Amino acid sequence: MESLVNGGQADRNPSEADLQSLLDELNVCDKSNLFTVLQNVQKRFGYLSPRALEEISSRTGIRLSQIYGVTTFFSLLRTEKQGRFALRFCNSASCYLGGAEGLLGACRELLEIGPGKTTSDGMFSAEAVGCLGACGAAPAMMINDRLYTQVTTEKLAGLVYEIRSGRMPEADGVFGSGTVRALGDPVMTGLPMTSDEKFLLRSLTPATILAAVEASGLRGRGGAAFSAGRKWRLCAETPADQRYVVCNADEGEPGTFKDRYLLLKKPDLLLAGMAMAARAVGASKGYIYLRGEYSDAERTLREEIARFDWDAVEIELVTGAGAYICGEETALLESVEGRRGVPRLRPPYPPVSGLFGKPTVINNVETLASVPFILARGAEWYKGLGSAESPGVKLFSVSGDVERPGVIEAPLGIPLADILSEAGAGELKAALVGGASGRLVSAEEFGRRLCYEDLSPGAGAIIAVGANRSVRELATNLMAFFEEESCGECAPCRIGTARAREILAGELRVDGALAEVLSSMGKTLASASRCGLGQAAPNALLDAIRLFPGEFE
């Protein structure tokens, strides 16, 4: 238990001298990255005051309206003071199933504040947030940058008591004993790479690396399942004086936490994979874009990057600031460049014109961490692990109504029922496969195989839905998530997610059959939205209406 001396977040109005001193220290000028400057100023003073934004505008030459646009886009950037201790309660699907609503109620009773409010003494503030990436230990919450899991009303009261007593409780771990398992021989979750394997990787030529990744059939493990080899080849063959490799570690899909495991326990695999990608495409600079809520992984990565000496590639860690949309690759690039995380229109695609207009490979954590094994053990070995059209192993994040949630490694092609059985599932009504943007499948479909030729695993999230659950309530929770996370750029997503949530919650009456109205809205969302967020937002809702029509009468 850590003693609080000053404790908590900075909560004072910066003096003019303090502000000028910090901006001088950061060397803020017209070449500065706005996103990084905003994060550093908030880190020092706790929030971004109007005066601070004005001075940043003056020094960078960026219009004040544009600075406010970036500041208000990201949920972790704040233009108003919060309490010294910010309580953020996860209310995404897994935590919702785990009783998150009860914690918000307990907070109201305990501190006499609801979401978006601060106690009169300025000590505590509270808010409901999207997924915190601890779905296997739901319900979860954060106090400032510390994560607490399996939170009950009693545990919440204890945390508040300790803070009021001048002691900051130690954060909880996400992966306890038995929470990471493998069905079959472990690969990603197994023993570290041997020194011989590492030596082999250091000696490989770009051509050899490209050929092996292409031959392995490795697909992106972030959800889109695009061929990694094709993406790398296109980047390598696009003429340019500079290329980049970017790791998408913005793991924000509700129900997903397997990348967090790799970041915390296997960061060397990620960096080795990035080094191999950089060598293959001729990149000298790499970026890891880490979601802002993963403060534990940030510390681990910074230590690992400091020790890393495999190749001439320079790797920089960029932390996000709370925007699910930045999991979309072009929105991520916009954020790295210091702008709002709004998806770009494509083409051109990132391998041709990506970060700073240069050819860029973007892969997620699990994809890049798979590469060292492919190169060390061979493409044929890797292809022998999965199904014919879906080679390799996959990490599944299993949560919801199961007795043994956690990360389960299994070869692609495994039946969904086997994963649920390993997780200790009892009687279920359905399972949400692929996270909030995935597909809802009924218990009758649990024999389907998790592979790209049958039931796509998406990002690997599996949320079990108990027999007594209401899928309409679950769909309402999912639509509220998308309403909050929509970037607002296109009307179908901005308006459609809000109206669908209002109808599901009974806040908006409709003329005609409820199921027909919602189905029509869902199809419009899927077909007319600008990017994958809006296009995938209605997936589970449409499945729920089809599978359980009685709940939508």
Side-chain angles (χ1 to χ4, degrees):
M1 196 77 65
E2 183 180 328
S3 175
L4 296 179
V5 179
N6 294 317
Q9 304 180 120
D11 60 356
R12 62 189 177 91
N13 291 316
S15 69
E16 187 67 19
D18 286 343
L19 176 60
Q20 298 296 341
S21 175
L22 175 61
L23 297 181
D24 288 343
E25 179 185 325
L26 297 174
N27 193 28
V28 176
C29 62
D30 59 356
K31 299 185 185 301
S32 298
N33 183 294
L34 175 61
F35 189 53
T36 303
V37 171
L38 293 172
Q39 288 178 309
N40 283 322
V41 172
Q42 177 171 288
K43 189 173 184 178
R44 175 72 62 87
F45 299 121
Y47 76 114
L48 296 162
S49 68
R51 177 69 190 111
L53 297 182
E54 290 171 2
E55 185 61 22
I56 292 170
S57 175
S58 174
R59 291 193 179 213
T60 61
I62 300 173
R63 294 190 306 273
L64 188 59
S65 60
Q66 183 178 341
I67 292 176
Y68 268 99
V70 174
T71 303
T72 57
F73 183 87
F74 295 94
S75 65
L76 296 182
L77 296 180
R78 299 178 291 275
T79 56
E80 296 180 353
K81 291 183 182 180
Q82 286 190 311
R84 287 176 59 203
F85 300 92
L87 278 58
R88 291 186 285 153
F89 297 91
C90 179
N91 195 35
S92 67
S94 299
C95 286
Y96 161 76
L97 294 174
E101 288 291 335
L103 292 179
L104 288 168
C107 181
R108 290 188 182 93
E109 291 186 11
L110 187 65
L111 298 173
E112 298 182 346
I113 56 170
K117 302 297 182 181
T118 300
T119 54
S120 58
D121 62 1
M123 193 165 191
F124 294 97
S125 58
E127 60 180 320
V129 299
C131 186
L132 293 177
C135 319
M141 66 176 292
M142 292 188 76
I143 302 179
N144 296 346
D145 65 348
R146 299 194 181 192
L147 178 71
Y148 301 95
T149 58
Q150 297 178 319
V151 182
T152 61
T153 56
E154 293 79 13
K155 182 171 181 175
L156 173 61
L159 293 171
V160 170
Y161 174 79
E162 291 295 337
I163 292 172
R164 285 205 181 279
S165 300
R167 298 179 294 274
M168 188 66 191
E170 292 294 331
D172 293 334
V174 181
F175 303 102
S177 176
T179 57
V180 179
R181 307 181 295 279
L183 291 176
D185 294 332
V187 179
M188 309 288 284
T189 61
L191 296 173
M193 295 182 66
T194 67
S195 56
D196 287 345
E197 289 175 328
K198 292 178 180 180
F199 180 81
L200 174 62
L201 263 58
R202 290 172 183 265
S203 67
L204 297 177
T205 65
T208 302
I209 296 170
L210 276 175
V213 173
E214 286 180 314
S216 73
L218 174 66
R219 296 195 190 192
R221 297 301 198 237
F226 189 79
S227 166
R230 286 178 59 194
K231 183 182 290 188
W232 292 21
R233 175 72 66 182
L234 180 58
C235 180
E237 294 181 350
T238 299
D241 59 354
Q242 174 70 59
R243 298 182 182 85
Y244 296 101
V245 171
V246 177
C247 171
N248 183 347
D250 193 50
E251 185 179 47
E253 186 69 47
T256 312
F257 50 96
K258 46 87 179 179
D259 283 351
R260 188 176 208 152
Y261 161 73
L262 292 172
L263 293 166
L264 287 171
K265 306 297 184 182
K266 307 279 186 173
D268 58 318
L269 290 179
L270 168 60
L271 298 188
M274 290 186 70
M276 294 299 97
R279 189 187 302 175
V281 304
S284 59
K285 182 69 182 284
Y287 290 86
I288 301 173
Y289 188 91
L290 178 70
R291 67 175 304 196
E293 294 85 350
Y294 280 14
S295 53
D296 51 356
E298 180 184 355
R299 290 187 291 271
T300 301
L301 281 173
R302 291 199 185 281
E303 292 171 0
E304 193 68 26
I305 290 171
R307 290 192 295 265
F308 187 72
D309 63 352
W310 272 45
D311 261 7
V313 60
E314 176 190 355
I315 297 178
E316 181 176 336
L317 180 61
V318 177
T319 56
Y324 169 79
I325 188 62
C326 286
E328 196 277 340
E329 61 181 11
T330 62
L332 183 155
L333 296 179
E334 289 289 298
S335 179
V336 173
E337 293 183 19
R339 294 186 289 272
R340 291 161 57 93
V342 175
R344 300 174 181 176
L345 294 175
R346 297 176 291 183
Y349 293 92
V352 174
S353 178
L355 190 63
F356 306 118
K358 302 297 184 179
T360 303
V361 162
I362 308 180
N363 285 124
N364 96 315
V365 175
E366 186 184 354
T367 311
L368 291 164
S370 300
V371 170
F373 293 107
I374 292 170
L375 299 179
R377 303 177 188 180
E380 290 304 314
W381 164 83
Y382 189 76
K383 289 168 69 175
L385 297 175
S387 66
E389 296 180 38
S390 304
V393 295
K394 181 84 184 75
L395 298 183
F396 295 95
S397 309
V398 188
S399 63
D401 294 322
V402 294
E403 293 182 2
R404 298 185 297 278
V407 173
I408 298 176
E409 180 183 19
L412 284 166
I414 191 170
L416 172 58
D418 289 5
I419 298 289
L420 291 171
S421 176
E422 170 62 26
E427 186 179 357
L428 300 180
K429 176 184 284 188
L432 186 59
V433 178
S437 61
R439 308 310 302 241
L440 190 72
V441 296
S442 66
E444 289 73 23
E445 301 176 273
F446 288 174
R448 294 181 64 181
R449 296 184 304 138
L450 292 163
C451 54
Y452 304 115
E453 59 267 38
D454 186 2
L455 179 60
S456 175
I462 299 175
I463 302 175
V465 183
N468 296 323
R469 298 287 190 179
S470 164
V471 293
R472 176 171 173 173
E473 290 182 4
L474 177 61
T476 306
N477 175 277
L478 297 175
M479 204 52 65
F481 171 81
F482 286 116
E483 176 188 5
E484 176 65 25
E485 296 295 342
S486 172
C487 76
E489 186 72 10
C490 70
C493 181
R494 182 181 68 249
I495 299 172
T497 54
R499 294 295 173 269
R501 194 268 308 161
E502 291 167 350
I503 292 170
L504 285 164
E507 298 174 7
L508 185 65
R509 298 182 64 85
V510 298
D511 294 327
L514 179 64
E516 291 181 7
V517 172
L518 287 170
S519 293
S520 177
M521 292 183 68
K523 291 172 183 175
T524 300
L525 256 173
S527 62
S529 292
R530 176 188 177 103
C531 77
L533 186 153
Q535 293 163 12
N539 283 347
L541 172 60
L542 293 173
D543 288 335
I545 293 170
R546 174 177 56 84
L547 295 170
F548 307 99
E551 295 197 31
F552 297 89
E553 293 178 349

